[in-house]
């Protein structure tokens, strides 16, 4: 029809008809359905149920907030983010199942998770085989050649901060727990004094813990009942409210070192806390893992944008190539990864439990 009208309008003095065709074409174009946005998915795996569900709550609300803000600002290089979340309940078998589900979805280009040591270790091998980039929050692993980046400083840096948080000149010390941070702690203690780690049959003056919160609290209660009056200092696990609940009076004075400051201790985050609580109904106050997850999403978005601009579209391999060059300026500082994938010179904060509340006592950068 448009062609017939156009031929008719080729006659002299048919300007009005030409304008009518232009208007008709515009109206026809306006009736077409809008072009759907281009979507890229990022995975999130955390314990949303079970003992560590408080970790999952921090993770999911923070990730949703970050994705919502990024998409509201136009996405990343023309792509909208979509969050694909799985609950692994901190169980290694469920972690592997979640990892397989994400790997087999071709639209998922990277994963944030799994927050607990055992579940993260179980899934890491699958991500490595699939060359799926993984951003780890909240747990230390031994560095490998895997495509893994950590939103926390190295185990050695964390161990050094834990040792310097307590006086050790004439003290004996021991460790509870295992994993990469425990190895770094034991190495640091031996360098400090090769006689510092006593046998299991003696009580040390200081104990460095990498145990989960309930296990650490239960052992602390038992040791206090047996007469131990030494100092306990733990890692981020001792930031869990359930540590204080289980430990009770035995937890008074216990210290912990965390790479993530509690949100209520940063006045600059007040507006962010309000936005976080507005993500959905009945959203609790953000905990220690919330801001780190939020920053992980933004760091990943920078890598997605770089990959899309370089290759035309984001891919797992493109994001893997872009992540080492990310420089994300978060609330706790700029995330810059070293050659092992850890946050170079990341911050560490020292807290003490007093009257069932965690009080910030030192900030180390």
């Amino acid at each position: 029809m448009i062609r017939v009208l156009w031929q008719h309008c080729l006659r002299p003095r048919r300007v009005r008809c030409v304008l009518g065709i232009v208007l008709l074409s515009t109206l026809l174009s306006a009736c077409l359905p809008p072009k759907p946005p281009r979507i890229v998915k990022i995975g999130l795996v955390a314990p949303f149920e079970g003992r560590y569900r408080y970790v999952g709550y921090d993770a999911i609300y923070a990730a949703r907030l970050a994705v919502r803000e990024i998409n509201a600002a136009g996405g990343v290089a023309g792509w909208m983010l979509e969050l694909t979340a799985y609950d692994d309940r901190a169980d290694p078998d469920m972690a592997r199942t979640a990892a397989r589900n994400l790997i087999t979805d071709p639209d998922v280009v990277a994963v944030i998770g799994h927050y607990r040591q055992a579940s993260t270790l179980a899934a890491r091998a699958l991500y490595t085989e699939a060359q799926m980039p993984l951003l780890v929050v909240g747990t230390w692993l031994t560095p490998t050649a895997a495509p893994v980046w950590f939103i926390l400083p190295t185990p050695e840096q964390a161990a050094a901060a834990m040792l310097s948080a307590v006086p050790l000149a004439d003290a004996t010390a021991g460790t509870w727990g295992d994993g990469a941070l425990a190895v770094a702690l034991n190495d640091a203690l031996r360098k400090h004094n090769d006689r510092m780690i006593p046998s299991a049959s003696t009580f040390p003056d200081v104990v460095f813990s990498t145990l989960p919160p309930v296990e650490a609290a239960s052992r602390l209660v038992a040791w206090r009942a047996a007469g131990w009056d030494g100092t306990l200092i733990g890692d981020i696990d001792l930031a869990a409210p359930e540590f204080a609940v289980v430990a009770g009076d035995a937890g008074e004075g216990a210290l912990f070192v965390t790479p993530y400051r509690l949100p209520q201790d940063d006045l600059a985050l007040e507006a962010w806390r309000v936005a976080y609580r507005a993500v959905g109904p009945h959203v609790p106050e953000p905990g220690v893992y919330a801001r780190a997850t939020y920053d992980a999403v933004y760091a990943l978005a920078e890598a997605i944008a770089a990959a899309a601009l370089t290759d035309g579209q984001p891919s797992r391999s493109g994001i893997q190539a872009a992540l080492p060059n990310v420089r994300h300026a978060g609330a706790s500082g700029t995330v810059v990864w070293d050659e092992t994938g850890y946050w170079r010179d990341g911050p560490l904060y020292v807290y003490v439990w007093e009257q069932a509340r965690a009080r910030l006592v030192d900030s180390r950068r």
Side-chain angles (χ1 to χ4, degrees):
M1 180 180 69
I2 294 176
R3 181 179 179 184
V4 172
L5 289 172
W6 179 258
Q7 290 175 343
H8 176 70
C9 291
L10 290 178
R11 299 174 184 177
R13 293 181 292 214
R14 301 289 186 178
V15 176
R16 291 181 182 177
C17 190
V18 172
L19 293 175
I21 293 173
V22 172
L23 178 61
L24 178 61
S25 300
T26 302
L27 291 173
L28 289 174
S29 299
C31 292
L32 295 176
K35 186 177 181 180
R38 296 182 295 179
I39 300 295
V40 59
K41 296 180 181 180
I42 58 175
L44 175 71
V45 188
F48 301 126
E49 298 293 339
R51 173 184 292 185
Y52 301 107
R53 61 184 178 274
Y54 64 90
V55 178
Y57 291 165
D58 278 0
I60 190 65
Y61 294 128
R64 285 176 179 172
L65 174 60
V67 168
R68 178 182 297 179
E69 289 177 348
I70 291 167
N71 287 342
V76 288
W79 295 78
M80 297 289 111
L81 299 184
E82 182 177 306
L83 191 66
T84 301
Y86 285 97
D87 172 27
D88 68 3
R89 301 199 179 195
D91 177 80
D93 288 335
M94 292 186 67
R96 281 186 282 264
T97 299
R100 292 188 188 99
N101 289 338
L102 291 169
I103 288 167
T104 55
D105 186 340
D107 294 328
V108 176
V109 295
V111 177
I112 299 169
H114 288 226
Y115 293 84
R116 304 300 305 166
Q117 179 177 282
S119 54
T120 308
L121 277 173
R124 180 173 68 173
L126 297 174
Y127 294 132
T128 300
E129 183 179 356
Q131 288 299 292
M132 173 78 83
L134 171 65
L135 272 65
V136 173
V137 178
T139 188
W140 284 271
L141 304 180
T142 302
T144 66
V148 178
W149 290 265
F150 298 85
I151 310 296
L152 67 174
T154 67
E156 291 75 20
Q157 289 172 327
M162 292 173 73
L163 263 65
S164 63
V166 291
L168 290 174
D170 300 314
T172 57
T175 58
W176 294 347
D178 56 16
L181 180 56
V183 170
L185 280 166
N186 283 316
D187 288 345
L189 285 171
R190 290 188 181 94
K191 291 177 182 178
H192 186 79
N193 185 332
D194 60 9
R195 295 173 298 176
M196 284 192 67
I197 304 175
S199 67
S201 62
T202 61
F203 277 143
D205 298 314
V206 180
V207 169
F208 297 91
S209 174
T210 62
L211 287 174
V214 170
E215 285 84 339
S218 300
R219 189 175 297 189
L220 177 60
V221 169
W223 278 37
R224 294 294 191 215
W228 184 60
D229 61 354
T231 300
L232 176 67
I233 179 165
D235 63 356
I236 188 175
D237 267 335
L238 265 61
E242 63 181 349
F243 169 80
V245 172
V246 175
D249 291 340
E252 187 75 7
L255 300 157
F256 64 88
V257 173
T258 168
Y260 316 129
R261 181 165 43 185
L262 296 176
Q264 61 265 31
D265 292 322
D266 191 341
L267 295 178
L269 290 182
E270 180 55 33
W272 179 84
R273 290 170 61 197
V274 171
Y276 175 94
R277 292 194 300 269
V279 168
H282 313 299
V283 176
E285 281 287 333
V288 69
Y289 298 93
R291 184 67 194 196
T293 302
Y294 177 88
D295 285 340
V297 174
Y298 268 92
L300 186 53
E302 291 185 20
I304 291 172
L309 292 173
T310 300
D311 303 327
Q313 66 178 28
S315 64
R316 296 173 186 177
S317 60
I319 293 166
Q320 184 175 338
L323 275 167
N325 300 315
V326 165
R327 301 290 185 272
H328 172 65
S332 298
T334 301
V335 177
V336 178
W337 284 296
D338 65 16
E339 64 279 359
T340 67
Y342 274 99
W343 183 353
R344 183 183 298 121
D345 300 323
L348 288 160
Y349 305 94
V350 182
Y351 282 82
V352 62
W353 280 106
E354 294 178 345
Q355 299 179 351
R357 294 180 63 86
R359 179 175 65 85
L360 179 66
V361 295
D362 195 9
S363 175
R364 300 162 186 266
R365 291 182 181 271

